[in-house]
Amino acid sequence: MTMQDFANTTAVITGGASGIGLGLAHRLGREGARVVIADIEEDALDKAVAGLEAAGVDTLGVRTNVGKQADITGLADAVEERFGAVHFLHNNAGVCTTGLAEEQTDAQWDWVLDVNLRSVIWGCREFLPRMKAHGEPAHILNTASMAGMSGGPLMAAYFTTKFAVVGLSESLWHEAQAEESNVGISVLCPGFVRTGIARSDRNQPDGLGGWVAAGSQSGAQFGELLSAGVDAGIEPSEVADVIVEAVAAGKLWIFTHPGFDAAILNRARRIVDGEVPDAREMTR
Ligand SMILES: NC(=O)c1ccc[n+]([C@@H]2O[C@H](COP(=O)([O-])OP(=O)(O)OC[C@H]3O[C@@H](n4cnc5c(N)ncnc54)[C@H](O)[C@@H]3O)[C@@H](O)[C@H]2O)c1
């Protein structure tokens, strides 16, 4: 069963107060959805709710730390209390750190693993049974990245979580197919999008010391490159347009930058040919 349109549906977006999540919230609102945005950043959340309401969207903002399982359960309960059945969940909140893998502390690793990966596991485990129980067409979209399609240096925690989100989503897709489920599954793999992702440390728990590993010169340089890439990226509204079309088409993998097709193909070819990765693949 494919979710064909968003009119009269309830859509939940984590990390919905800015960037890709907020772009999708506005697009889904225009499609006629009731929109719930869940975010840790209170000021941004209030502003985003006000903006959506001003645009005529029936909106609920729920302050949520997706790195805490209890918050995700609280989110699901709050949404059901206000709007009833949930039809669309976008596990979108994400953060990143830079530096050599061994320079990143346990606390930095845990932060990225919790926000980017465990939150997705918890989100699926909390919402999927509720979506199956109501039986109407529904969909879960998990955000990975092109960093979930091809590895690279200096963001090991980020790559680790994004590869894992791709694997988790593929598992869920196979399970849904086998069950002929009413809940479709997709995984979003964007290239650079102009958002606040390179300022992730604005949402760090106290004491983590920023998004660049302490004293990491290569991490600091890479952080600057990453910020420049993000600033030159496509707009969140363009990602939202791709998502709406891809969900209706029932696509599992959703890509926003067709230019990376060659990188995916070359990586697969290098794997089966027994070659080593091409370090320039994702930066061409
Ligand atoms: N921007 C890019 O170039 C790009 C590329 C590929 C993938 N992504 C992914 O897209 C997703 C959205 O990021 P974005 O680029 O829009 O960045 P963003 O920083 O603009 O948005 C991320 C949102 O997540 C929220 N957030 C952070 N920690 C949270 C937590 N613990 N609980 C709840 N909310 C939290 C932030 O407050 C923010 O509103 C992320 O998963 C990111 O990894 C981004």
Side-chain angles (χ1 to χ4, degrees):
M1 199 186 293
T2 305
M3 192 171 160
Q4 289 295 333
D5 69 71
F6 289 89
N8 277 316
T9 63
T10 295
V12 179
I13 304 171
T14 69
S18 62
I20 294 170
L22 183 57
L24 184 64
H26 276 276
R27 174 67 203 264
L28 297 189
R30 286 198 298 278
E31 297 288 319
R34 299 171 285 276
V35 173
V36 182
I37 51 175
D39 208 286
I40 197 169
E41 208 179 340
E42 215 140 15
D43 291 352
L45 185 62
D46 291 346
K47 212 172 131 204
V49 169
L52 284 157
E53 283 175 342
V57 182
D58 196 357
T59 310
L60 173 67
V62 183
R63 207 250 171 210
T64 308
N65 178 357
V66 297
K68 291 197 168 143
Q69 187 174 12
D71 276 25
I72 292 180
T73 303
L75 169 65
D77 290 342
V79 178
E80 280 189 351
E81 194 180 317
R82 167 80 180 263
F83 291 130
V86 175
H87 305 93
F88 181 78
L89 169 67
H90 186 184
N91 286 309
N92 163 76
V95 293
C96 64
T97 52
T98 74
L100 295 172
E102 77 267 22
E103 290 171 333
Q104 303 198 31
T105 61
D106 274 356
Q108 283 172 325
W109 271 94
D110 280 343
W111 179 52
V112 180
L113 288 169
D114 284 349
V115 178
N116 292 12
L117 176 58
R118 290 198 181 92
S119 70
V120 182
I121 298 169
W122 291 327
C124 292
R125 278 174 46 195
E126 190 63 54
F127 282 85
L128 190 50
R130 299 180 192 229
M131 288 171 155
K132 284 184 184 176
H134 69 60
E136 295 167 28
H139 203 94
I140 294 180
L141 170 64
N142 297 324
T143 295
S145 167
M146 283 309 297
M149 287 283 135
S150 190
L154 295 165
M155 284 178 71
Y158 190 79
F159 281 107
T160 300
T161 58
K162 296 305 186 180
F163 266 73
V165 168
V166 172
L168 168 65
S169 305
E170 291 186 17
S171 275
L172 291 167
W173 186 88
H174 284 290
E175 291 172 8
Q177 291 300 111
E179 289 183 336
E180 299 183 14
S181 174
N182 63 312
V183 187
I185 304 289
S186 302
V187 57
L188 176 68
C189 299
F192 282 131
V193 186
R194 197 194 319 241
T195 70
I197 192 72
R199 290 180 289 103
S200 294
D201 52 357
R202 70 193 189 280
N203 292 312
Q204 252 179 1
D206 291 342
L208 258 75
W211 71 302
V212 179
S216 175
Q217 208 179 339
S218 52
Q221 283 166 355
F222 189 78
E224 281 173 28
L225 273 179
L226 187 76
S227 298
V230 167
D231 286 346
I234 64 173
E235 293 299 327
S237 60
E238 295 175 66
V239 180
D241 292 345
V242 171
I243 291 170
V244 168
E245 200 173 308
V247 168
K251 288 191 178 171
L252 165 60
W253 298 286
I254 304 180
F255 297 107
T256 58
H257 290 62
F260 282 131
D261 288 1
I264 297 170
L265 291 169
N266 283 339
R267 177 173 193 271
R269 187 189 57 73
R270 283 172 178 277
I271 290 170
V272 295
D273 287 353
E275 295 175 16
V276 295
D278 180 347
R280 299 158 305 162
E281 207 65 86
M282 300 302 284
T283 50
R284 276 183 191 142

